[in-house]
């Protein structure tokens, strides 16, 4: 690894790893980052980062050879290669960026729930943003992403996904404690999510059932007393509308609405 600081506003970092012995001999992982701080010490305009990663990854033992009562295979896959570019800009608690990953010799589980390899190169592109904003006692935190695979025959992804949290803080008991109610909404668009195969405990491609286009809504109330957090949460409350299309995987419905009560206490000063 290496770190280079230039002109008080530029940082270049690099990292490399090469496996020279054993089953994964020849695999490597090379990472680099250019981080540029914008502005001066008195006027900060954020920072821009450019990350690059190039790695070679051999198939694991499970993908190469497996024998059971229901599934048997023996493969001789080529090593997969991944090239990732990530460009983002961050200002205070706001981040926006674009990312692309190009993959060759991708190993995946096909619709027959057995491993297969796609030798042609394809790409996954993503645009994303995240933010956190606090105004007085109100806070707003969120994340959103748009993503697309150039080969949807081997990689299925939701076009859009995101999460948004609304919160409010109110001192109580003469400021001896803080009351913090919050509402969190998670959502992703419909897509052919990978199905689960219990016999091999792995996920595989399927083109029959779509999941998504359903908001997962959680309501929580937390009371903070010094180092202790006492909370009550109600999960997946959108089921109260009578819409039961809440699935975490095809044929695997999400949990019903539940009430959770707990304490998180850090036992140190």
């Amino acid at each position: 690894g290496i770190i280079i600081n230039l002109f008080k506003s530029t940082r270049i970092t690099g990292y490399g790893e090469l496996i020279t012995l054993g089953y994964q001999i020849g695999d490597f992982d090379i990472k680099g980052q250019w981080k540029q701080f914008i502005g001066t010490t008195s006027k900060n305009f954020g920072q821009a980062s450019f990350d690059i990663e190039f790695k070679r990854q051999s198939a694991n033992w499970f993908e190469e050879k497996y024998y059971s009562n229901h599934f048997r295979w023996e493969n001789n896959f080529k090593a997969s290669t991944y090239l990732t570019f990530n460009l983002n800009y961050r200002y205070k608690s706001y981040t926006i960026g674009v990312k692309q990953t190009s993959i060759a010799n991708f190993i995946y589980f096909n619709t027959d729930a057995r491993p297969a390899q796609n030798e042609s190169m394809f790409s996954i592109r993503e645009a994303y943003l995240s933010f956190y904003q606090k105004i007085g006692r109100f806070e707003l935190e969120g994340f959103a992403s748009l993503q697309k695979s150039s080969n949807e025959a081997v990689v299925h992804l939701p076009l859009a996904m995101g999460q948004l949290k609304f919160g409010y803080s109110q001192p109580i008991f003469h400021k001896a404690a803080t009351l913090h109610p919050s509402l969190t909404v998670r959502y992703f668009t419909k897509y052919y999510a990978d199905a689960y195969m219990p016999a091999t405990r792995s996920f595989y491609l399927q083109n029959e059932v779509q999941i998504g286009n359903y908001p997962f809504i959680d309501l929580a109330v937390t009371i903070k007393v010094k180092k202790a957090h006492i909370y009550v949460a109600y999960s997946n409350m959108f089921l109260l509308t009578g819409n039961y299309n809440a699935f975490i995987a095809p044929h695997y419905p999400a949990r019903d609405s539940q009430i959770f009560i707990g304490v998180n206490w850090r036992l140190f000063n």
Side-chain angles (χ1 to χ4, degrees):
I2 188 171
I3 300 176
I4 301 175
N5 293 316
L6 299 172
F7 314 117
K8 297 182 180 181
S9 61
T10 302
R11 174 173 293 181
I12 302 172
T13 59
Y15 167 84
E17 179 183 86
L18 174 66
I19 298 178
T20 58
L21 295 172
Y23 175 74
Q24 293 178 307
I25 185 171
D27 284 4
F28 58 82
D29 189 3
I30 302 173
K31 298 179 181 179
Q33 182 188 71
W34 181 296
K35 182 179 289 186
Q36 182 67 47
F37 298 93
I38 303 172
T40 63
T41 54
S42 59
K43 292 184 179 181
N44 178 21
F45 297 104
Q47 64 185 42
S49 299
F50 176 71
D51 295 84
I52 183 172
E53 181 178 9
F54 181 45
K55 69 178 180 179
R56 177 186 188 271
Q57 183 174 313
S58 298
N60 59 47
W61 293 336
F62 175 62
E63 295 166 338
E64 289 277 5
K65 190 174 183 179
Y66 181 74
Y67 290 93
S68 71
N69 292 335
H70 302 286
F71 289 92
R72 297 184 181 184
W73 59 71
E74 189 168 345
N75 301 305
N76 185 23
F77 290 135
K78 299 177 183 178
S80 303
T81 56
Y82 299 80
L83 178 61
T84 301
F85 299 98
N86 186 10
L87 176 65
N88 65 70
Y89 171 72
R90 180 177 182 179
Y91 179 70
K92 296 183 178 179
S93 56
Y94 295 83
T95 302
I96 185 171
V98 292
K99 182 178 180 181
Q100 174 175 304
T101 301
S102 299
I103 309 172
N105 298 321
F106 179 64
I107 300 173
Y108 64 102
F109 281 78
N110 212 340
T111 53
D112 59 358
R114 290 172 170 80
Q117 186 164 55
N118 179 76
E119 296 187 358
S120 61
M121 180 174 289
F122 70 98
S123 298
I124 298 174
R125 298 180 177 90
E126 178 187 8
Y128 60 89
L129 65 89
S130 62
F131 61 90
Y132 175 81
Q133 182 65 51
K134 188 172 183 180
I135 303 175
R137 294 175 180 174
F138 292 91
E139 64 176 357
L140 185 64
E141 183 177 5
F143 171 83
S145 171
L146 292 174
Q147 50 193 358
K148 183 73 172 178
S149 169
S150 63
N151 190 345
E152 296 184 344
V154 298
V155 174
H156 295 166
L157 296 171
L159 177 61
M161 60 184 298
Q163 176 174 304
L164 190 61
K165 177 183 177 182
F166 302 91
Y168 178 80
S169 297
Q170 175 63 52
I172 57 176
F173 303 131
H174 301 287
K175 298 184 179 180
T178 302
L179 180 68
H180 183 78
S182 64
L183 183 71
T184 303
V185 181
R186 291 174 288 117
Y187 174 85
F188 57 88
T189 55
K190 272 192 172 184
Y191 76 111
Y192 291 101
D194 290 351
Y196 181 67
M197 174 53 66
T200 58
R201 291 178 291 180
S202 59
F203 287 86
Y204 65 95
L205 285 176
Q206 61 87 28
N207 301 292
E208 299 176 355
V209 179
Q210 287 186 318
I211 67 171
N213 194 27
Y214 177 93
F216 292 87
I217 302 176
D218 300 330
L219 177 64
V221 178
T222 303
I223 298 177
K224 180 181 178 182
V225 183
K226 294 184 178 181
K227 299 294 183 179
H229 293 74
I230 306 169
Y231 65 89
V232 178
Y234 188 74
S235 67
N236 201 6
M237 60 184 297
F238 193 73
L239 287 176
L240 296 175
T241 64
N243 186 332
Y244 301 105
N245 293 321
F247 288 85
I248 56 175
H251 315 297
Y252 283 82
R255 288 182 176 181
D256 291 338
S257 299
Q258 298 183 59
I259 296 177
F260 298 91
I261 301 175
V263 177
N264 183 350
W265 194 346
R266 299 181 181 181
L267 299 177
F268 62 89
N269 293 327

